[in-house]
């Protein structure tokens, strides 16, 4: 407890000078600390009218205050951005990686470490909220430069499917790194011919050589992970020997390369590009299944269907009610997802999404809608994952 010395007088409360003693009320509650400077005219008079006492603080209390003042302030937790936004930001990062690979190497960036860190970051985000991550590339694809979104979606596919297909964690990380950089060799073609409806023959030939070019670019930037480089080199090879650039056959191709080939095709099919709209996920799965054995591994396709389903998160669907909604989470065992309506029956965007159970006849899914046709509701759609 503090020790009260006497009742304060005017001389104890000088204006614009530090107090020589602490001030307390009659119940020994602290009013002003020693050293406090009174700057407001009339304040001292009000304290005297109230009745106050000069005193000395309890030594233990004073010691505790000094310890607290000396102790470093605990760092305040930094709020993370929503997973959807962090996943969307990876598109910009991938674009920067590909641009960096197209330039002469420098000592400023250890590219292998940088890309591996992004791969681990993506895997961590999938553990945190896989639905938000899956939806991000589908809903934020830039038609002027869709390649980074394709790289991201391909990386998401291999990251989710690798454990289900008995790949080790090291193989999984190498697969994600390869998926993020597999098309770096197309950087110049995308820049010069990205919006072209048709490609000259010599450009088509360069396109078929891009896996080799991507590996050359990675090695020039001192990427030494042999598994990562092999996956990039072989991601367009096929079990039937009709792939490129080496026309390798089943038994000569790494299993991870075949998984990456499936992820690459799926991402290229479902995401729109300047030459065509995206193919709806359910239709893409059907097309991929028809090429099991000759082009893709049947188990890989089965795991893709099981994990992503006909309506993966981010899919925009038209309903029997005349509304348009977006799928936020994987469908339950019944196969009918919950769609969050973003356009009403008249085609007007809603200010807030309304959930609809598509297992009910009046809200059944009757078709899919391309994301590029729903730009007026993009903010409402993205808010679902924030």
């Amino acid at each position: 407890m503090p020790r009260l010395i006497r009742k304060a007088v005017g001389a104890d409360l000088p204006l614009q000078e530090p107090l020589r003693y602490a001030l307390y009320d009659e119940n020994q509650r602290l009013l002003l600390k020693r050293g406090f400077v009174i700057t407001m005219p009339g304040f001292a008079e009000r304290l005297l009218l109230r009745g106050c006492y000069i005193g000395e603080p309890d030594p233990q209390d004073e010691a505790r205050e000094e310890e607290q003042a000396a102790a470093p302030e605990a760092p305040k937790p930094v709020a993370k951005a929503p997973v959807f936004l962090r996943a969307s930001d990876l598109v910009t990062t991938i674009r920067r990686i590909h641009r960096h690979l197209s330039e002469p190497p420098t000592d400023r960036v250890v590219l292998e470490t940088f890309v591996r860190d992004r791969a681990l970051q993506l895997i961590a985000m999938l553990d945190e909220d896989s639905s938000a991550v899956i939806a991000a590339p589908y809903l934020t694809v830039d038609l002027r430069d869709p390649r980074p979104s394709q790289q991201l979606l391909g990386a998401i596919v291999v990251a989710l499917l690798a454990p289900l297909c008995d790949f080790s964690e090291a193989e999984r990380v190498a697969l994600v790194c390869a998926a993020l950089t597999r098309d770096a060799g197309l950087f110049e073609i995308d820049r010069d011919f990205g919006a072209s409806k048709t490609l000259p023959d010599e450009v088509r030939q360069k396109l078929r050589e891009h896996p080799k070019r991507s590996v050359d670019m990675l090695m020039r930037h001192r990427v030494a992970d042999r598994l990562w480089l092999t996956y990039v080199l072989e991601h367009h090879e096929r079990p039937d020997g009709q792939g490129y650039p080496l026309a390798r056959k089943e038994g000569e191709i790494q299993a991870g390369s075949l998984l990456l080939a499936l992820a690459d095709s799926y991402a290229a099919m479902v995401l729109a590009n300047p030459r065509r709209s995206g193919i709806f996920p359910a239709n893409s799965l059907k097309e991929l299944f028809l090429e099991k054995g000759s082009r893709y591994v049947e188990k890989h396709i089965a795991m893709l269907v099981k994990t992503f389903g006909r309506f993966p998160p981010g899919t925009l669907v038209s309903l029997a009610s005349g509304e348009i909604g977006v799928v936020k989470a994987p469908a339950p065992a019944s196969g009918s997802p919950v769609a969050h309506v973003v356009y009403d029956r008249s085609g007007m965007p809603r200010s807030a999404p309304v959930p609809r159970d598509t297992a009910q006849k009046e809200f059944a899914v009757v078709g899919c809608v391309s994301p590029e046709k729903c730009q007026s509701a993009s903010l409402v759609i993205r808010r679902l994952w924030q």
Side-chain angles (χ1 to χ4, degrees):
M1 296 289 289
R3 184 174 68 89
L4 301 185
I5 299 174
R6 58 175 171 79
K7 198 166 186 177
V9 296
D12 297 317
L13 281 73
L15 192 65
Q16 304 292 351
E17 293 182 22
L19 297 179
R20 295 176 59 196
Y21 296 94
L23 291 181
Y24 296 86
D25 66 9
E26 60 184 4
N27 296 314
Q28 297 180 304
R29 287 192 293 260
L30 180 66
L31 298 176
L32 296 176
K33 286 185 177 182
R34 181 174 54 198
F36 182 86
V37 177
I38 298 174
T39 59
M40 185 184 301
F43 182 70
E45 287 77 6
R46 288 196 294 274
L47 283 173
L48 293 171
L49 288 173
R50 172 181 176 175
C52 57
Y53 299 80
I54 63 173
E56 294 178 347
D58 186 312
Q60 291 182 348
D61 291 343
E62 202 167 36
R64 276 195 296 270
E65 286 184 10
E66 290 177 359
E67 287 178 7
Q68 291 173 358
E73 186 177 354
K76 296 179 181 179
V78 179
K80 282 186 176 181
V83 172
F84 182 89
L85 292 181
R86 282 184 274 146
S88 301
D89 287 344
L90 276 178
V91 173
T92 302
T93 302
I94 294 167
R95 184 176 290 115
R96 195 164 70 244
I97 290 170
H98 286 208
R99 185 179 296 112
H100 182 76
L101 281 167
S102 71
E103 299 169 348
T106 69
D107 294 329
R108 290 177 300 170
V109 178
V110 181
L111 191 86
E112 184 167 349
T113 301
F114 183 83
V115 175
R116 184 172 282 109
D117 286 347
R118 301 294 84 71
L120 294 172
Q121 179 186 358
L122 176 60
I123 291 171
M125 286 192 289
L126 285 166
D127 291 339
E128 190 175 345
D129 187 350
S130 60
S131 293
V133 180
I134 292 170
Y138 190 63
L139 293 173
T140 60
V141 62
D142 183 351
L143 290 182
R144 296 167 300 179
D145 183 17
R147 187 74 60 190
S149 294
Q150 291 176 6
Q151 306 294 278
L152 177 57
L153 182 53
I156 292 167
V157 172
V158 296
L160 290 173
L161 267 56
L164 303 176
C165 296
D166 304 319
F167 289 92
S168 69
E169 189 60 23
E171 290 170 324
R172 183 192 192 193
V173 174
L175 269 167
V176 177
C177 290
L180 293 172
T181 55
R182 66 189 188 272
D183 289 338
L186 292 173
F187 181 82
E188 292 181 359
I189 294 177
D190 287 340
R191 182 192 62 199
D192 299 336
F193 299 94
S196 302
K197 298 295 182 183
T198 58
L199 297 176
D201 290 342
E202 63 272 17
V203 176
R204 288 182 178 276
Q205 182 58 36
K206 285 184 178 180
L207 189 148
R208 291 181 64 85
E209 295 170 354
H210 83 267
K212 281 185 177 180
R213 178 163 173 73
S214 297
V215 169
D216 289 344
M217 294 165 73
L218 289 165
M219 292 179 67
R220 191 170 71 244
H221 284 264
R222 296 185 287 277
V223 172
D225 187 320
R226 303 309 302 178
L227 208 52
W228 171 355
L229 296 171
T230 299
Y231 292 153
V232 172
L233 180 64
E234 296 182 339
H235 78 276
H236 280 294
E237 300 293 341
R238 297 170 46 153
D240 63 5
Q242 299 301 307
Y244 60 86
L246 303 173
R248 289 176 176 171
K249 297 181 180 179
E250 188 173 7
E252 302 173 340
I253 310 168
Q254 286 280 346
S257 303
L258 293 173
L259 178 59
L260 181 55
L262 176 67
D264 178 81
S265 294
Y266 179 77
M269 292 168 78
V270 301
L271 296 182
N273 63 50
R275 289 177 284 278
R276 61 157 178 80
S277 297
I279 300 173
F280 301 130
N283 295 339
S284 298
L285 293 176
K286 290 178 184 177
E287 291 191 28
L288 294 170
F289 187 78
L290 291 174
E291 295 195 83
K292 64 179 175 28
S294 62
R295 189 168 184 177
Y296 310 112
V297 177
E298 185 171 355
K299 181 179 180 180
H300 296 172
I301 299 175
M303 292 300 103
L304 179 65
V305 173
K306 179 180 179 181
T307 304
F308 283 75
R310 297 171 58 235
F311 305 106
T315 305
L316 287 150
V317 292
S318 53
L319 308 180
S321 60
E323 300 166 310
I324 293 176
V326 61
V327 177
K328 182 181 179 182
S334 65
S336 299
V338 172
H340 295 258
V341 170
V342 292
Y343 286 94
D344 62 22
R345 290 177 175 86
S346 64
M348 295 297 293
R350 297 189 62 95
S351 58
V354 177
R356 302 287 194 219
D357 182 359
T358 62
Q360 298 180 23
K361 186 177 180 180
E362 63 267 38
F363 300 123
V365 175
V366 296
C368 291
V369 182
S370 299
E372 58 267 26
K373 295 180 180 178
C374 299
Q375 291 301 306
S376 56
S378 60
L379 290 178
V380 177
I381 293 171
R382 296 177 191 190
R383 208 172 293 141
L384 277 168
W385 288 277
Q386 296 180 18

